[in-house]
Amino acid sequence: MSKYIAAIDQGTTSTRCILFNHQGHIVSVGQKEHEQIYPKPGWVEHDPTEIWKNTLEVIAIARIKASATAADIAAIGITNQRETTVVWNKRTGKPYYNALVWQDTRTSDLVSKYEKEGGLNQFRDITGLPVSTYFSSLKLKWLLENVEGLREDAEKGEAIFGNIDTFLIWHLTGGAHGDGGIHVTDVTNASRTQLMNLRTLQWDREMLAAYNIPEKMLPAIKSSSEIYGHVNNEILPGVPVAGDLGDQHAALVGQTCFEPGMAKNTYGTGCFLVMNTGNELKTSENGLLTTISYKFGNEPVKYALEGSVAVTGALVQWVRDNLGLIKKSEDIEELARSVEDNGGAYFVPAFSGLYAPYWRNDARGIIAGLTRYVNKGHIARAVLEATAYQTVDVVKAMEQDSGIELASLRVDGGMVMNQLLMQFQSDILDTQVVCPAVAETTALGAAYAAGLAVGYWQNLEELKQKWAIAQTWNPNMEAEKREGFYNGWKKAVTKSYGWME
Ligand SMILES: Nc1ncnc2c1ncn2[C@@H]1O[C@H](COP(=O)(O)OP(=O)(O)O)[C@@H](O)[C@H]1O
Ligand SMILES: O=P(O)(O)OC[C@H](O)CO
């Protein structure tokens, strides 16, 4: 048997390749950040060619660190930032435009138009999602309407669309060379385009008509765990590409949340709380999204509820890059520890409007409650607390929608290294917070999907055995104090509304 499974985790800020062994332990990691491109206020882009180059580089790093040959790798799983939209030419491989990143708000006017014409929730029954700048549908519409020659090429089937998973699989399986790459996606990624019907798991004609998208440019929708094709590139020649999951769905799998009612919260650029609802396609009454947990091969699809928060770790980066208050993201903890509390300040990071559970495109970021007393330590606290309060908002919505009270919250992602944040999260939720031994759950989930497809792992029971706790935070805050903090947050949120006309 080959020794390892490779997972490529293409995130908002960086690309990682991680090799896992049969125990599900990390053997080696290659990681590289890519440029965040902000051409105008509210616009966020990535260069797809840079991402592809970084992918090759991180695979090479992970391979070299583990002294692994292609024969040592049983399969590759891909996981990715979702919704981010790429269109490229299938003969040359050249992108028509930079990737429009999920946080990009250039389609706000289109959102208002659809809101006036049919309301924000007009497509919820088919897709589980409100009309928003967040999903691929409006980004693709914007590209088709604004990039010269794109619509003509798309109608001829020459210009093809994909999220980052599709773009990477296409390149890995041959790209523009020879017979060309394989043009596929999986049900979890497709569920975030707002073009897939959640019941049929196919592109929905009504949605394509509503956004005027040519079907020819769309990838084939597959399960999250099957052999899509083989690597046709010297980086890992012949290795099967056998797993594909949007990163938040992959983290759910990596956390082995296989039973209905199990949930995880991932703290990265944004925060994403996902609860597995099993066979039940549940509609939210409280501002959550209906989406897909995963679909393994021919097994029935599993649905999910999701609370997506746009800006959490991204706010820490903003404090680092735009204010220069810290040098590295992790320095925010020391700065926040220089004070006792938030000093009355609340930061509402509505940089891309507010996502779950508010869905306010008209909101923009604010710091509320400022007095002469507030210093940079208090701002650092308010920044970290914003992540915790936004999580409380989605946990409350999740508990109401599901009728399940979360006994403990399984967490992962880059921000869980922050002890102050995790303790505050537990305090403000009044719930235990638990981090697993393998905190790279996103990559692990993609590896599990690929490993199941090629028989490297046998079944979900085997995977469940591997989950183990690394750290637990227990709540330790008086109810009155907790409620006071949270009320302050709710008041601040309302002050961010109505900034955009
Ligand atoms: N110790 C820390 N405290 C607070 N935020 C952190 C810390 N370490 C990393 N981050 C934030 O976490 C994010 C990176 O996490 P990661 O899970 O790699 O994100 P992504 O998958 O979205 O690229 C960045 O936004 C960074 O600012
Ligand atoms: O790259 P991440 O981990 O911030 O995740 C991005 C999400 O998939 C966006 O929906």
Side-chain angles (χ1 to χ4, degrees):
M1 188 202 264
S2 298
K3 290 189 211 157
Y4 311 124
I5 298 283
I8 295 166
D9 176 2
Q10 203 304 298
T12 310
T13 53
S14 74
T15 307
R16 272 172 263 211
C17 176
I18 303 187
L19 300 192
F20 289 95
N21 64 17
H22 201 255
Q23 285 78 48
H25 294 159
I26 293 173
V27 176
S28 67
V29 183
Q31 177 166 12
K32 192 148 192 236
E33 287 207 7
H34 55 268
E35 190 188 352
Q36 306 294 315
I37 305 165
Y38 306 108
K40 292 186 190 182
W43 291 31
V44 189
E45 299 176 3
H46 291 156
D47 174 358
T49 308
E50 183 191 6
I51 287 180
W52 168 234
K53 280 193 190 142
N54 287 0
T55 304
L56 290 176
E57 214 174 296
V58 297
I59 296 174
I61 296 168
R63 265 188 62 175
I64 291 165
K65 282 190 185 168
S67 305
T69 64
D72 291 325
I73 298 181
I76 301 185
I78 311 281
T79 179
N80 55 295
Q81 52 168 323
R82 306 165 303 166
E83 299 96 15
T84 297
T85 299
V86 193
V87 180
W88 68 99
N89 185 285
K90 80 172 184 200
R91 279 183 302 112
T92 64
K94 205 167 165 274
Y96 283 81
Y97 200 84
N98 273 339
L100 303 196
V101 178
W102 57 278
Q103 303 148 312
D104 189 294
T105 57
R106 79 186 63 193
T107 55
S108 292
D109 291 348
L110 285 171
V111 172
S112 306
K113 176 178 158 298
Y114 281 89
E115 184 175 12
K116 277 190 205 112
E117 287 169 1
L120 291 181
N121 289 320
Q122 57 184 306
F123 305 127
R124 262 206 190 253
D125 185 51
I126 300 174
T127 66
L129 313 173
V131 179
S132 163
T133 58
Y134 180 19
F135 309 108
S136 313
S137 49
L138 284 179
K139 298 181 198 297
L140 187 51
K141 184 177 173 62
W142 187 93
L143 288 168
L144 286 162
E145 285 173 2
N146 289 278
V147 178
E148 214 187 312
L150 176 58
R151 185 172 288 280
E152 291 74 34
D153 284 4
E155 268 153 13
K156 281 189 269 170
E158 277 200 16
I160 53 177
F161 153 83
N163 295 125
I164 301 280
D165 61 317
T166 303
F167 182 71
L168 293 183
I169 294 173
W170 186 83
H171 272 288
L172 281 168
T173 55
H177 306 293
D179 295 336
I182 290 166
H183 191 214
V184 293
T185 189
D186 90 303
V187 286
T188 65
N189 275 294
S191 77
R192 315 297 294 196
T193 60
Q194 206 180 37
L195 301 172
M196 190 187 80
N197 184 310
L198 279 180
R199 292 173 183 82
T200 64
L201 308 181
Q202 295 299 320
W203 302 120
D204 187 275
R205 289 267 152 79
E206 191 183 321
M207 295 309 305
L208 299 185
Y211 289 119
N212 196 13
I213 308 286
E215 188 165 2
K216 265 193 173 162
M217 73 188 308
L218 304 179
I221 303 175
K222 303 281 182 181
S223 80
S224 319
S225 173
E226 62 181 272
I227 298 179
Y228 312 108
H230 294 80
V231 178
N232 187 357
N233 180 297
E234 64 200 24
I235 194 75
L236 281 176
V239 174
V241 183
D244 179 8
L245 288 151
D247 54 8
Q248 303 311 325
H249 319 265
L252 189 77
V253 172
Q255 289 267 23
T256 64
C257 294
F258 298 134
E259 310 302 331
M262 290 181 80
K264 67 84 208 179
N265 197 26
T266 301
Y267 298 73
T269 306
C271 238
F272 302 87
L273 180 71
V274 182
M275 179 183 276
N276 189 338
T277 59
N279 300 327
E280 196 182 352
L281 196 163
K282 236 178 159 42
T283 307
S284 174
E285 304 291 328
N286 296 285
L288 302 178
L289 307 176
T290 305
T291 188
I292 300 229
S293 282
Y294 47 78
K295 177 170 166 37
F296 294 137
N298 293 325
E299 295 294 311
V301 68
K302 301 294 172 193
Y303 291 100
L305 279 171
E306 173 176 323
S308 327
V309 172
V311 179
T312 56
L315 182 59
V316 177
Q317 287 175 316
W318 182 83
V319 167
R320 181 192 70 188
D321 302 338
N322 296 40
L323 299 189
L325 286 184
I326 49 174
K327 282 210 171 66
K328 300 192 293 302
S329 291
E330 52 266 40
D331 298 343
I332 192 128
E333 181 161 359
E334 196 182 332
L335 186 56
R337 283 192 190 280
S338 66
V339 292
E340 285 286 301
D341 56 28
N342 63 17
Y346 290 84
F347 202 139
V348 184
F351 295 171
S352 304
L354 285 170
Y355 289 7
Y358 304 102
W359 299 107
R360 296 287 300 231
N361 288 302
D362 62 341
R364 283 298 176 270
I366 57 157
I367 305 177
L370 291 179
T371 60
R372 270 302 292 270
Y373 174 74
V374 171
N375 63 32
K376 59 186 177 182
H378 298 115
I379 299 293
R381 280 235 169 209
V383 161
L384 293 176
E385 289 183 2
T387 294
Y389 296 131
Q390 292 184 99
T391 296
V392 176
D393 291 338
V394 292
V395 166
K396 282 180 187 283
M398 192 68 84
E399 290 185 338
Q400 279 169 10
D401 271 338
S402 66
I404 296 169
E405 197 176 324
L406 286 178
S408 75
L409 185 67
R410 291 189 177 194
V411 300
D412 51 60
M415 294 184 91
V416 302
M417 302 306 288
N418 194 307
Q419 294 292 326
L420 185 145
L421 170 61
M422 287 298 113
Q423 183 56 52
F424 187 77
Q425 183 68 88
S426 176
D427 289 342
I428 203 76
L429 265 178
D430 198 26
T431 298
Q432 189 179 68
V433 170
V434 178
C435 180
V438 180
E440 294 281 0
T441 52
T442 302
L444 184 60
Y448 281 166
L452 285 172
V454 297
Y456 184 84
W457 289 299
Q458 299 311 313
N459 51 43
L460 303 190
E461 277 313 308
E462 184 184 354
L463 303 182
K464 274 196 234 166
Q465 308 299 324
K466 300 182 192 302
W467 190 86
I469 295 178
Q471 193 174 357
T472 302
W473 295 266
N474 290 303
N476 183 22
M477 187 183 273
E478 286 158 18
E480 201 180 327
K481 197 169 170 188
R482 188 170 63 242
E483 282 154 22
F485 278 137
Y486 189 60
N487 289 340
W489 164 255
K490 294 298 275 186
K491 194 151 61 158
V493 166
T494 62
K495 307 285 179 203
S496 73
Y497 292 169
W499 187 257
M500 300 302 284
E501 295 297 314

